[in-house]
Amino acid sequence: MSKGANYNLKFRRRQEGKTNYYRRYVFVSTSAIREVVRLTNQHVVVQFYDIDPKGDKVLASAHSIELVKKFGWKGDTDNTSAVYLTGYLAGKRAVKVGLKSAVLDIGMFKAITGSRIFYAAKGSVDAGLEIPLGDVQIIEERIRGEHIAEYASKLEQENPEIFNKLFSRYLKRGLNPKDLPSHFEEVFNKIKENGG
């Protein structure tokens, strides 16, 4: 490890790739409510934070596993549809506790056009919050999972063996991937009526 007068050791969380301290400084200086979106290999977590000197306070949150346990979601918990629904659920809860606006905190992720992170923010916007997004190119068909349904339909005709292998988790849960858009609408309506 380098040492010397001209070597600056980064903070531990920066070394671990967990915190961008410059972005954190900007959020603290503006005192804005943050919508924090974090993607893992299997799940999505959306939380609304208020900055406090003693430690950030979570005002509202949603986890994609709730889609399965509370609303009967049978798709993957980390695809674009699940990210949107989780953002929508968190947004409904944020509106319920009195939030009107927030800024998006993407953490260490890069702001790539069409990224799933922006679909979570789009869900929160559709729930009634004001979140500045700019031009992030949200594709409505991807929200409903139409791209997955089209691919599944094509693959089932061309190669049923690969279809069964690729979509085995969907089929095991009792959902034909071709029915994902209608299943999305069903779960979306449940969240709209009972979410929060």
Side-chain angles (χ1 to χ4, degrees):
M1 186 167 144
S2 299
K3 293 182 180 179
N6 294 328
Y7 181 75
N8 291 326
L9 186 64
K10 292 179 181 173
F11 291 121
R12 177 184 56 82
R13 289 189 59 84
R14 180 65 181 143
Q15 287 177 359
E16 294 171 355
K18 292 181 179 177
T19 302
N20 182 328
Y21 282 98
Y22 178 73
R23 283 187 190 164
R24 172 103 179 122
Y25 167 76
V26 171
F27 286 126
V28 169
S29 64
T30 61
S31 301
I33 302 292
R34 297 177 297 146
E35 179 183 25
V36 178
V37 180
R38 297 296 178 257
L39 305 173
T40 69
N41 289 339
Q42 295 181 338
H43 301 289
V44 183
V45 181
V46 180
Q47 297 174 313
F48 288 89
Y49 280 99
D50 189 14
I51 293 169
D52 189 278
K54 295 177 182 174
D56 293 354
K57 292 181 181 175
V58 179
L59 304 173
S61 69
H63 195 288
S64 60
I65 200 68
E66 291 179 79
L67 301 177
V68 176
K69 292 183 177 178
K70 294 182 180 176
F71 302 101
W73 178 250
K74 295 179 183 175
D76 287 339
T77 53
D78 64 343
N79 65 14
T80 306
S81 301
V83 171
Y84 175 85
L85 289 171
T86 306
Y88 185 77
L89 179 59
K92 292 278 284 182
R93 290 175 178 170
V95 168
K96 198 171 188 179
V97 297
L99 295 182
K100 291 182 173 58
S101 64
V103 292
L104 183 61
D105 179 355
I106 61 173
M108 298 298 291
F109 289 102
K110 293 194 185 323
I112 299 169
T113 302
S115 174
R116 287 181 297 159
I117 289 173
F118 297 119
Y119 284 89
K122 170 71 170 147
S124 298
V125 167
D126 290 349
L129 290 171
E130 289 181 32
I131 299 172
L133 288 177
D135 184 26
V136 294
Q137 295 184 1
I138 301 292
I139 302 168
E140 296 293 329
E141 291 78 23
R142 293 186 75 83
I143 290 174
R144 292 186 297 278
E146 290 177 17
H147 62 296
I148 295 172
E150 287 173 16
Y151 178 66
S153 180
K154 180 182 173 187
L155 192 62
E156 187 178 34
Q157 292 173 359
E158 293 176 0
N159 197 332
E161 188 178 323
I162 293 178
F163 168 82
N164 290 329
K165 186 176 180 183
L166 280 179
F167 294 105
S168 61
R169 291 188 301 175
Y170 282 83
L171 298 170
K172 187 177 179 183
R173 294 183 205 120
L175 174 66
N176 189 321
K178 295 186 291 184
D179 301 330
L180 187 60
S182 59
H183 180 60
F184 170 85
E185 291 297 331
E186 177 189 324
V187 173
F188 178 76
N189 289 330
K190 283 183 186 175
I191 295 172
K192 196 172 187 177
E193 293 167 14
N194 307 319

